Amino acid sequence: MATLSSAGNTAGDETRAQLIEAATTIFLRDGFRAARVKDIAAEAVVRLSAINYHFGGKDGLYLAVLQHHAMLALAHAPIPEARPGVPVEQRFAEFVRAMVYRMLDPASPSRLPPLMIREAVNPTEALDVMFERFTRPLQAVLIGQLREIFGPDASEAVLARAALSVLGQGMVYVVARPLVAKLHPEFYGQEADVATLADHIVAFSWAGVQAVAEAERKKHGKA
């Protein structure tokens, strides 16, 4: 038999989940600044006071929504941990493929990509939290792999441009989705399409990284 305490926790968890689900819908529709807490409470079918009680207000709810969807994305397409003896080409491919699936897989329960597009266009204080907790660690993994490929003479600027070029190939399918979908609607909708796109971005990125790394080695007289 559930105790009063456990029953209360269960009810609280359900209310939090309802608010996060409802807030996701409203924040995606209206953006953070235009979203109204009374609309979120009505969508969640809970009292308005529940937002303050569980999240401390609209800002706390918004951050909880972003972190919830970030965790869903990480769980849906995890990056394998570094294993001794695994070639950098394989680790690079696993990283890029995971990023593509996080951004574009229609089977993913996460709505992080469209949420973060809104956040990037109209940043809030939540951006710093998301950057430190999620973006910076991922960037560090990719930069580490690129440093292995480019060698010790590559500058941080060269590595940063390479990393952004790799990640940008997936991001364009999110940011410019309405335009891309008009040009190539077949790029969206099925997991098989995402797999094909992931393979393409992996191959294209690896070839590009190799070409730029070779140019850098020639610049430093090490080709």
Side-chain angles (χ1 to χ4, degrees), residues 15 44 47 69 71 97 108 129 151 167 172-173 202:
T15 300
R47 292 181 178 178
H69 285 280
M71 295 305 296
R97 191 167 282 109
S108 174
V129 178
L167 296 173
V172 71
Y173 288 90
V202 167

Side-chain angles (χ1 to χ4, degrees), residues 160-185:
R161 283 194 291 268
L164 288 171
S165 295
V166 170
L167 296 173
Q169 291 179 78
M171 290 170 63
V172 71
Y173 288 90
V174 179
V175 177
R177 181 167 186 153
L179 293 175
V180 176
K182 286 184 178 295
L183 291 168
H184 298 284

